[in-house]
Amino acid sequence: MVFIIQPLLMRLFLISLFIIFTPLVDAFVNRHAITFKELFAALIAICGVGLLVGENLTELQFNMGDGLILLAALCRASFVVMTKKKMEKQQCEPLLATFIQSSVVTLVCIVLLFLIVPSEQYVLPNAMNFWLYIGYLVVFCTLFAFYIQNYGVKHTSPTQVSFLLGLEPVFGGLFAHWWLGERFDSIQWIGAGLIVFAAMFISLKFSFRRRMKTSHVAEIEKPIG
């Protein structure tokens, strides 16, 4: 089990780089400067992921698969930024955006299935457990997860959403520790804490500024007398 978990943790560090890519892509697409707050929080989060991965990071041998993971991290950052941009421009609701995204993915997968997989391999499993697992992954880990992400993107910033998504290594590490028996050292707990701190730093700062702006507008619009 250790031999399976360690490569996953190493690749987890690479995919987590989307935390840094998101403010960069957002600044490029929307033509604005990157704030020091975003850079500081991103570096803290990446340091936290590095500590969470631990010594496994030194064993990482960069290959084509790792390059694809980095590309996936960049695509993930671009996806969040472009979703925000399109939803604002076209006044699209999160539920509709989720429906469009899932429909496009479904159609592409069906086309690839007919183009790549030989027809003699079209066999549907008849085991009930298989369909229960697939149903769980589709409903909760895909549709519901993307809807929540789109809802967050509509009401916050792409950077904040990415930092909250960056908590994924923390939950992954905790599940590996409690469920699969992976050993957690104190340095890894510190890494997990840094990731949580970075996410909360971005979120609480954003919420504070929004409350201040709302209260300021309310004060201006308050009727006299």
Side-chain angles (χ1 to χ4, degrees):
M1 184 66 68
V2 173
F3 295 103
I4 298 176
I5 295 176
Q6 286 182 348
L8 291 178
L9 287 176
M10 290 186 289
R11 272 64 189 185
L12 191 61
F13 175 81
L14 294 177
I15 194 65
S16 297
L17 291 177
F18 82 93
I19 297 174
I20 287 183
F21 292 156
T22 300
L24 296 177
V25 173
D26 189 23
F28 175 78
V29 172
N30 296 305
R31 298 290 190 270
H32 64 77
I34 303 174
T35 64
F36 174 79
K37 176 189 67 176
E38 293 172 340
L39 288 178
F40 174 74
L43 291 176
I44 292 296
I46 293 302
C47 289
V49 176
L51 294 176
L52 184 63
V53 174
E55 297 178 354
N56 298 314
L57 188 60
T58 61
E59 302 172 5
L60 179 62
Q61 297 180 354
F62 198 84
N63 52 40
M64 181 178 179
D66 299 323
L68 292 176
I69 294 177
L70 279 178
L71 179 61
L74 179 60
C75 291
R76 187 175 185 178
S78 303
F79 172 76
V80 174
V81 173
M82 294 308 299
T83 298
K84 174 71 172 182
K85 189 176 182 68
K86 291 298 182 180
M87 290 179 70
E88 285 186 342
K89 183 178 180 180
Q90 300 180 3
Q91 297 298 314
C92 181
E93 292 299 319
L95 185 60
L96 178 59
T98 305
F99 173 77
I100 295 173
Q101 292 165 354
S102 58
S103 299
V104 170
V105 172
T106 301
L107 291 175
V108 170
C109 290
I110 292 175
V111 171
L112 291 177
L113 173 67
F114 285 108
L115 292 178
I116 298 175
V117 180
S119 59
E120 58 270 14
Q121 296 184 13
Y122 296 167
V123 179
L124 292 177
N126 54 12
M128 181 59 66
N129 287 340
F130 172 83
W131 294 109
L132 289 176
Y133 294 149
I134 290 296
Y136 169 77
L137 292 174
V138 169
V139 175
F140 293 100
C141 301
T142 305
L143 296 177
F144 179 72
F146 271 95
Y147 171 74
I148 294 299
Q149 176 178 302
N150 290 333
Y151 184 88
V153 167
K154 182 177 178 63
H155 294 87
T156 60
S157 67
T159 298
Q160 186 183 7
V161 170
S162 294
F163 273 90
L164 294 175
L165 290 174
L167 294 174
E168 179 181 356
V170 177
F171 293 110
L174 292 177
F175 272 100
H177 172 66
W178 288 326
W179 191 9
L180 302 177
E182 181 74 356
R183 185 171 59 89
F184 248 40
D185 297 327
S186 58
I187 194 70
Q188 292 174 300
W189 287 110
I190 294 175
L194 288 177
I195 300 173
V196 174
F197 168 78
M200 293 302 101
F201 175 77
I202 288 290
S203 300
L204 294 178
K205 187 71 173 179
F206 177 85
S207 299
F208 175 75
R209 291 179 61 185
R210 184 172 59 181
R211 286 197 300 269
M212 290 292 292
K213 182 178 179 180
T214 303
S215 61
H216 179 67
V217 172
E219 187 68 24
I220 294 176
E221 297 177 351
K222 183 178 180 180
I224 300 176

